[in-house]
Structure formats: structure tokens, C-alpha cells
Amino acid sequence: MHLRLFLLAGIAAGAFSSPALSQQTDAVTETPQIGGTPSSIGTGARDEDAIIVTATRRSQQAQDVPIAVSVVGGEHIDSTGSFNVGRLQQLTPTLQFYSSNPRNTAVNIRGIGVPFGLTNDGIEQGVGIYIDDVYNSRVASATFDFLDVAQIEVLRGPQGTLYGKNTTAGAINITTRQPTFAFEGRAEVSVGNLGYRQAKAAISGPLSGKVAARLALSSTSRDGTIYNVTSRQKINEQDNLGLRAQFLWEPTTALSVTLAGDYSEQDPECCGTVFVKTGATQRPLARQFAALAAAQSYAPVSLDPFDRLTDLDASLNAGNKLGGVSLRANWDVGPGNLTSVTAWRFWDWKPENDRDFTGLPITIRSMNPSQQDQWTQELRFTGRLGALDLVAGAFGFKQKVRTQGVQEQGPAASRWLLSGALANDPSVLAGLRADNDIRLDNTSAALFGQVSWHVTDALTFTPGIRVNYDKKNGLYDSVVTNAQGQLVTFASTDPRIVAQRGVLAPQRFDVAYNDWNLSYDLKASYELTPDVLAYATYAKSFKSGGVNLNGVPADTQGNPILAAATVQPESVNHYEAGLKTQFWGRRATANLAAFRTDIGNYQALVTNGQLGVLRGYLASAGAVRSQGVELDFSVRPSARFNAYVNGAYTDARYRKFVDAPCPPELSGGAIAAPGQAPSAPGTPSGISPANCDISGQRLPGVSKWSFSFGGEATLPATVLGLTGEAYAGYDGSYRSNFSSNPTPSVYTWVDGYSLHNFRLGFRSDRGINLFGWIRNAFDQHYFEQLQVPSGNTGLIVGNLGDPRTYGFTIQAQF
């Protein structure tokens, strides 16, 4: 793969070696430099110039924007190894990222955004991901490597007026480096332990007097961090390739058109878990993990998860491809600027999983390959009329998703999943198979506008509004057959088929949803001094209603309960106040925000305790709220030193969820009759409640306290005749404990942890940067996520965080 990358880089360099390029570059005498301390994480502050962001869909200085926004510069992304959103969360405390594989990924801000658990294609995320103004509807895009990124803005709080219905929690706005008419290039190579190899290259320059181009390439590979004793392979590896080409046409000073295309692929043997522990449930003791394992002479390969050993026996794969084409046009029309963004994107997902999480052949195949196409069109006008700054536009979205699911049971399934005489007959469930056809067609359209009224030089009011229409059509069709080729149906009374449909149940339904919604907000900001901005915000927003595409509960005759096939839109009320300040001659920057977000009809994931019956469906959880305080602080006393501390206190809870699924310690027993008291948690053969009231409990995945902190110091130095600066950098993060299950369980609290990363290097004045790095320097043992496999056996498995890694990087800029 790396040979392919460098061959492509060579071809790109040759393409730019044209007469037009030579004529242009003859006049360029100054070589771009890497030297100088990087921007500060969070505030984005730097020694020279102001940080410019596009959070309001027009360019503004970050300190002038009345929005809580974290800014991370591209140079810090490169130097800290934060090459995807998962790594980015270590630098931005209010961002949460959880991924058991690319499809089952959650990106939340302030604890809200998307249900925690298996992905349901029929809903949308609450954190919008935008790359160069193009919306990426599938959260899997967050797992790919950042490619030639100039800057990332994490916008906190609802952004529905300008960024759409999918941003009730916030947005991640990624800006890549653009084509230039001055020739420039950059290259980077990193090597490290665990077979880590990463190469990046970018080249930009003119093709003619009016056309410029930029080509960027990236490749990352690394050995897996877990050893599978069954396949004798390391799993959870990295294997990423990314390409982007951009062409800029500037026929006049008033018009620019950029055509961009990108392609990324991943093909790792991923994503596996390790045994963590077992916890008592309310199933009979003979049906809990220890007894079931002993009955088949099975024991986990290790009882210590940080031995990093697993014995998963099904094939693992997380292969996926993502890419698209966009056309962006910016036209200065005199009173303002007109922008058009037209884009098509695709995502192909080819997974293989071990859904029983053990080395036994219980579920021998589990996969949901999926293909998605999306088309978006945005027209936007920005301008100024007297004391008014205007933004107005229209947005259209079309999405098609097709998924083909397969689940097949193996010879150990009967003993594990059944009771009585049938449990001793492997042929009952061996070869039992569900083939799923899942389809979604999603259409959305919106009109939006925002006005900033500068009442005085200091006081500004900014109202905004967005009208949105959504239409979703879905199909879920699961056909179940046994090893004899018989259809498994609810009409049959054959005891074997009755047992089989208790494990994999057939179901088919069509579902449709459409609705209009209105978002609006009002911001007021006041410049107390030239360096102190106070602001307050109220926002009324929503997240679109959805359709359930993982199956729904059925009645006693097996008919789908269609009332559960749709889920209502979330209704969001958001309140925020903040201060943006600079002092000490603008050497220090401190931004403070306090917020409260109330959500009605919160879209929560509900899971069924039996293996294979349901993969999880959506239901309205009543109400939740998230509130807290955030601080981004950076200080730059001299050009030789900078430091930052970013912190967040987040209290995110279910305000009302009276019929939630119960945690494993209260599941698996006979369901309590009306008036009957449930047994104590973890009582074998106990009485389980039909559902649980978890009102007041914490939302999953949210740490009350989270921090990022770091700094860099430099000294003048000369190395091998090159003048420049030596530097030492440090970046750390801390988060307190969090729940790793939609319903909090005593078995799934992840302990708090801290991570510490160091780098030591030399930057020359001529664009060379060499540094060694060590990440998770103290080899902190931590879980990214704990999972509760279905079946109520008490098994808990985990996704491990990376161990200590170290290596060396060389960067060149010319």
C-alpha cells in the first residue's frame, strides 16, 4: 500500500511539472516554513494573526463568534497523532466517541447526539459532520483518517438553523487545505512499534493562470492490539488509505469553482472484544455463563482483559469504502456572496462479526453489509445590508440505503440458547439462518435564514430560523430457514420450529414517516471591551423522527407491532451563556460557557434480552437533559512557549424514562405479575420487572469531568547545519467514570482514566520537522467501551484502548 502511495505522489509531482508551473514558481523565492509554536488546542490562539472560523457560514475571528467552539489546527492534528475523530476526543473534552466497529459508532457532544449501542439506519445522528461544506450522513465517516486537514471546529450546542436538523448536539466542521496558485507541497512519514506505518503527501500548484489543483494522499497501517488464539492472528489492526483531488477554477476575481473528489478505504481484521467478567443475572444458575460454559467444557482464553487475548471463532472484518464528488462555487454578486455546494457521496460496508463474543460456535455468521448513496444540494447567500449581516439558503438531501443481513447459528447454539431436551440436540439450531433485506429511502428539504443585527458597535442580536421537511420509507424483511431448508414461521406448532423462532424470528413490515419541523434560535452578544465578548443563546431545535429498521416487537401471533415501527422527533430546548476573553496583551485566552439542553421524546435504543430476537429498536425515552460548564484556556507568554487547559463538567441524565429496558442484573427471570415485587438484583431464578424506571440516572458514555491539557516549549538550535528550534511537547487528557450501557448497570461502569502523550523534536527554518513521540506513555489500561451480549448470561466483554505506542515522524514542507 505504501508503494502505491508513493507512486501516486510521484505521478502527482510529475503532473505539476508543467511549463505553466515552472513560470509560476520562478517568482517564488521564499520556502514555506514549519517552524514556530503551533496553535493552542481549544481556543486556536496563536502568536500571529487571528484564528478564522466558519461556524456561522461566513469567515469570522473565533473570538467574535457567539458560539462555544473548540478549534484544533491541522498542525496539531499532525503532531499529536489525532488522525480521526476517535483521537480528536482526547483534545476536546466535550466530544465523546465510541465505536465497536465503523457502523456501530456514536459521536456525541455534551453527552447527546445518537443512541448508544447498535446503529439503526432509520434515524439520524445529532452531531453533523461536515467536510468542506459537505454533510456526511453516515457516522462511519468519523472512523476514517483526516486527510490534509487545515482546521477542525467542534461547534457545541444545537446548530440547527445553519447546519440542519442533524445538529441538535453540535457539529464537527472540517476544513481541508485548498488548492493554491503558489506551488507548495508537504510530505510526512511515521514509523512506530506495533508495525505502525503512516505516510502522507500533498502537492498543490497552478495548472494554468486560472486553474490550480491539489492532490493529497494518506496511508496508515498498524498491527492489531489483540491476539486471537483461534485464528492465530492479531486483530483490531489499522489498514487505511485515503486520496483527495481538488481543482480550483478562478475565471474572474468574483468567481471561484472547486471540483473535489475523494476516496477512502479500510480493510482491517476488526473488530473483536475480550472477556472482561461475568455478573449474576436472574436467569436460573444452569442458564448463566459459568454453567453454560462448563457444560461445553469451555473457558475464556484469559480472565485478565489486559492480557489482550481473545478466542473469537467467527470471521472478523470491518472493510468499508467511502468517497464522493463535490462542486462548490462562490460568486461575489456585489451586495453579497452566493455559494452553491453540490455533492454525491457513497459508503459501502462489508462487515463480519462474532456476535456471541466467545470461542464457541454459537453464532457462526453475523454480518450486515450495506450500501449507501446520498445526494445533497445547498444554495446559500451571505451579505451585509447596513447594520444587518444576512445568511439565507436552501438545502436538499436524498439518501438510499440497502442492507443485506445474515445471521447463522452453529452446533453449540442449542446447548447455549435452549433448555430441556432440545438443548442436548445440536441439530435443532445448527444451520438456523436469518436473511434480512433492509431498505431506507430518505428525503429532506429545508429553507433557512439568519440575521445579525448590529444595534450598536457593541451589541448584536442574531435571530435565525429553519423550516424542514422529512420523508422516510423503510422495509424490514427477515426470512428464517433451518438446516433442513424449512421456513421458520409462527404458523408452525412443531416444537423444534417453535424453539428456532425463539432464537431467530421472521418478520416483515413496511414503514413510512413524514413530517414538517421548525427550528429557530436567538443569540445576543455584547462586547464589554474590545477583548471581552459576552453572549447568550436560546435555541429551539429538533432531531428528525425515524423508522425502526432492526425489527420491532411482535404480538403473540408473531405480527409486528407497527406502533413501534416509527419514533417521534426529538424536541430540543437549549439555553446557553458564555464569555470569550483575551487579556495580558492577548497572550492569554479564556472562553467560558454554561449550558442546559432539555430534550423531549429522546430517541433511545431498547434491546431485547434474547439472542437474535431483536438487534435493538428505537423508542421515545420521555425526556433527558444535559447541563454543565466548559472552559477553554490557553496562554502564550512568548513565542517560545504555549500551554492550554480545556475542561468540562457535564451532568447528563434521563429526566423521565419509566419503561426502559432493565440492566442485566435485573433481567432473565420470570416477568413479575401485576403487584408482584421483583427479586433483588442478581437473584438466580428470580422475578424480573417487565421494564425499569431509570429516571434520574446518567446517560451512557458521559463523564461528569473531562479535561485536556498540554503545552510546548522551544529553544533556538542548529542540527546538522540546519538552523531552527528544538522543542518538547506534551498533551494529556482525563475523564471520570461513565456508564457503558443504555441502562446503567453495576457491571458496565468504565473507570476514569488519564492518558499522557509526549513529543521531542527539531524544526528547521527550511521546512523540516523531525520528532519522536510516545502516546499513552504510562501504558494506562483502560476500556473504551463495555458491552452486554444479548441472552442475559451475565457475560461482559470489552473494547480495549490502545496500549503504549511510540515512534518517529519526519515532515517536510516546500
Side-chain angles (χ1 to χ4, degrees):
M1 180 174 292
H2 294 288
L3 177 59
R4 173 173 47 176
L5 179 67
F6 288 116
L7 285 174
L8 287 170
I11 293 170
F16 283 100
S17 298
S18 63
L21 174 63
S22 300
Q23 293 168 9
Q24 293 285 338
T25 55
D26 285 343
V28 179
T29 58
E30 184 179 353
T31 302
Q33 298 178 2
I34 290 180
T37 54
S39 60
S40 294
I41 292 172
T43 65
R46 60 189 183 203
D47 292 325
E48 298 178 358
D49 303 324
I51 292 295
I52 302 299
V53 298
T54 57
T56 58
R57 296 298 199 182
R58 56 183 183 269
S59 296
Q60 290 181 277
Q61 294 187 19
Q63 290 300 108
D64 294 337
V65 177
I67 295 174
V69 53
S70 298
V71 182
V72 182
E75 83 292 334
H76 232 129
I77 291 168
D78 294 335
S79 65
T80 58
S82 304
F83 52 81
N84 59 29
V85 173
R87 294 285 186 89
L88 183 66
Q89 71 168 339
Q90 296 180 19
L91 304 179
T92 53
T94 54
L95 180 69
Q96 295 95 33
F97 176 92
Y98 308 97
S99 180
S100 57
N101 62 45
R103 183 175 184 267
N104 296 317
T105 295
V107 178
N108 288 346
I109 294 176
R110 295 172 170 172
I112 53 180
V114 69
F116 194 83
L118 292 174
T119 297
N120 191 315
D121 287 333
I123 67 156
E124 282 141 313
Q125 61 209 48
V127 176
I129 299 175
Y130 290 80
I131 302 175
D132 291 337
D133 268 356
V134 176
Y135 170 56
N136 286 245
S137 64
R138 305 318 302 183
V139 73
S141 61
T143 68
F144 283 90
D145 289 0
F146 296 140
L147 182 57
D148 201 24
V149 168
Q151 183 170 284
I152 296 178
E153 304 161 25
V154 179
L155 314 181
R156 311 194 295 266
Q159 308 295 323
T161 296
L162 296 182
Y163 285 86
K165 61 188 173 58
N166 44 37
T167 56
T168 51
I172 300 174
N173 190 24
I174 301 172
T175 303
T176 68
R177 298 182 178 101
Q178 298 298 297
T180 59
F181 283 95
F183 176 73
E184 68 173 41
R186 60 182 63 226
E188 176 182 319
V189 175
S190 300
V191 295
N193 67 324
L194 298 177
Y196 177 76
R197 299 180 301 277
Q198 186 176 70
K200 300 178 182 180
I203 191 167
S204 181
L207 298 180
S208 71
K210 296 184 182 297
V211 178
R214 186 178 192 95
L215 177 64
L217 318 166
S218 174
S219 176
T220 304
S221 63
R222 193 189 72 180
D223 295 341
T225 56
I226 297 173
Y227 183 73
N228 188 343
V229 300
T230 302
S231 66
R232 299 182 180 180
Q233 298 288 330
K234 291 183 178 180
I235 63 171
N236 294 7
E237 60 189 3
Q238 294 176 1
D239 186 2
N240 305 335
L241 174 68
L243 313 170
R244 178 185 291 116
Q246 299 180 82
F247 298 90
L248 170 65
W249 177 46
E250 291 188 348
T252 71
T253 57
L255 177 65
S256 67
V257 180
T258 303
L259 175 66
D262 67 279
Y263 172 84
S264 297
E265 67 178 28
Q266 296 176 331
D267 192 23
E269 186 171 353
C270 187
C271 300
T273 57
V274 296
F275 175 92
V276 176
K277 58 186 173 183
T278 59
T281 72
Q282 294 189 331
R283 296 189 84 180
L285 272 178
R287 308 298 303 152
Q288 297 196 35
F289 183 85
L292 289 170
Q296 301 199 52
S297 301
Y298 171 75
V301 62
S302 174
L303 300 182
D304 182 352
F306 295 102
D307 285 342
R308 297 185 176 270
L309 297 174
T310 193
D311 59 355
L312 303 178
D313 60 327
S315 296
L316 298 177
N317 186 35
N320 62 131
K321 301 175 181 178
L322 179 145
V325 178
S326 67
L327 184 68
R328 290 180 294 136
N330 286 286
W331 185 20
D332 186 345
V333 293
N337 192 74
L338 186 63
T339 300
S340 171
V341 183
T342 307
W344 163 75
R345 297 201 63 74
F346 75 91
W347 178 48
D348 290 341
W349 167 232
K350 296 182 179 180
E352 294 180 277
N353 305 295
D354 191 330
R355 297 307 304 175
D356 61 56
F357 302 93
T358 73
L360 289 169
I362 302 168
T363 301
I364 60 174
R365 295 185 70 194
S366 178
M367 58 190 72
N368 279 276
S370 181
Q371 307 83 43
Q372 183 223 274
D373 288 277
Q374 71 162 63
W375 299 265
T376 56
Q377 173 63 58
E378 181 167 1
L379 290 172
R380 187 171 67 244
F381 173 81
T382 59
R384 184 155 194 168
L385 180 63
L388 302 178
D389 288 327
L390 310 173
V391 180
F395 178 77
F397 171 78
K398 178 72 174 177
Q399 179 188 42
K400 181 177 75 173
V401 182
R402 299 293 183 263
T403 302
Q404 308 82 39
V406 176
Q407 181 166 326
E408 183 176 348
Q409 305 307 127
S414 294
R415 179 64 66 89
W416 197 268
L417 302 175
L418 302 179
S419 58
L422 292 179
N424 297 316
D425 185 352
S427 70
V428 177
L429 294 185
L432 182 69
R433 174 183 170 124
D435 290 273
N436 303 329
D437 181 7
I438 304 171
R439 306 180 187 184
L440 173 69
D441 292 287
N442 183 6
T443 302
S444 181
L447 296 173
F448 61 90
Q450 187 181 80
V451 176
S452 293
W453 175 31
H454 303 286
V455 182
T456 69
D457 290 342
L459 177 63
T460 301
F461 289 109
T462 306
I465 190 170
R466 189 180 189 105
V467 180
N468 197 92
Y469 173 73
D470 284 292
K471 180 181 179 181
K472 294 183 174 74
N473 291 292
L475 166 71
Y476 178 84
D477 187 9
S478 181
V479 177
V480 181
T481 56
N482 59 27
Q484 290 72 44
Q486 298 172 300
L487 283 174
V488 174
T489 68
F490 280 89
S492 176
T493 58
D494 182 333
R496 292 170 64 92
I497 289 184
V498 171
Q500 290 164 359
R501 73 183 183 223
V503 174
L504 293 177
Q507 190 173 87
R508 188 188 192 283
F509 62 89
D510 295 279
V511 59
Y513 172 89
N514 67 85
D515 197 12
W516 290 87
N517 275 286
L518 180 70
S519 293
Y520 54 89
D521 59 19
L522 175 63
K523 298 182 181 71
S525 60
Y526 188 78
E527 194 175 274
L528 300 172
T529 74
D531 291 329
V532 179
L533 178 74
Y535 67 90
T537 298
Y538 168 73
K540 175 67 174 179
S541 189
F542 76 100
K543 187 167 77 173
S544 163
V547 295
N548 272 307
L549 294 178
N550 287 349
V552 296
D555 62 21
T556 55
Q557 286 76 44
N559 300 310
I561 300 175
L562 295 181
T566 59
V567 62
Q568 294 301 306
E570 292 182 354
S571 176
V572 180
N573 287 283
H574 175 77
Y575 313 86
E576 185 164 335
L579 280 174
K580 292 194 167 186
T581 69
Q582 289 185 305
F583 52 95
W584 194 18
R586 296 190 174 179
R587 290 189 287 267
T589 302
N591 298 332
L592 181 69
F595 66 91
R596 178 177 174 123
T597 304
D598 290 300
I599 303 178
N601 293 323
Y602 180 75
Q603 296 169 355
L605 187 73
V606 176
T607 56
N608 185 289
Q610 298 305 311
L611 184 69
V613 176
L614 289 175
R615 293 177 59 82
Y617 65 97
L618 294 168
S620 294
V624 306
R625 66 111 171 95
S626 176
Q627 62 186 12
V629 180
E630 301 161 343
L631 172 68
D632 294 329
F633 173 78
S634 66
V635 61
R636 309 177 70 84
S638 74
R640 293 294 176 191
F641 179 75
N642 78 92
Y644 68 92
V645 177
N646 306 317
Y649 169 78
T650 307
D651 182 17
R653 297 181 180 274
Y654 298 102
R655 289 184 62 203
K656 183 179 181 182
F657 197 0
V658 298
D659 55 352
C662 292
E665 59 266 31
L666 281 172
S667 300
I671 300 300
Q676 184 178 23
S679 304
T683 301
S685 301
I687 303 298
S688 295
N691 45 54
C692 288
D693 183 352
I694 60 172
S695 304
Q697 297 196 44
R698 281 165 60 180
L699 289 176
V702 190
S703 296
K704 276 192 174 182
W705 295 98
S706 55
F707 297 92
S708 64
F709 36 83
E712 184 175 289
T714 69
L715 287 173
T718 300
V719 175
L720 299 176
L722 296 174
T723 60
E725 59 186 19
Y727 64 91
Y730 164 75
D731 297 282
S733 63
Y734 167 79
R735 62 179 308 182
S736 59
N737 72 341
F738 62 91
S739 168
S740 191
N741 197 51
T743 295
S745 165
V746 293
Y747 305 138
T748 57
W749 283 95
V750 174
D751 293 337
Y753 59 86
S754 61
L755 301 175
H756 306 273
N757 309 320
F758 298 88
R759 62 187 181 277
L760 183 66
F762 170 78
R763 301 186 189 99
S764 81
D765 295 334
R766 298 188 61 81
I768 303 296
N769 184 13
L770 306 94
F771 62 97
W773 45 265
I774 182 168
R775 296 166 188 147
N776 189 8
F778 304 119
D779 202 21
Q780 171 75 57
H781 288 173
Y782 68 102
F783 295 104
E784 292 185 337
Q785 188 178 348
L786 296 176
Q787 298 185 56
V788 181
S790 55
N792 295 317
T793 68
L795 174 62
I796 306 296
V797 299
N799 302 90
L800 298 178
D802 282 349
R804 178 193 296 120
T805 58
Y806 50 87
F808 180 80
T809 296
I810 180 169
Q811 299 171 342
Q813 209 174 313
F814 52 89

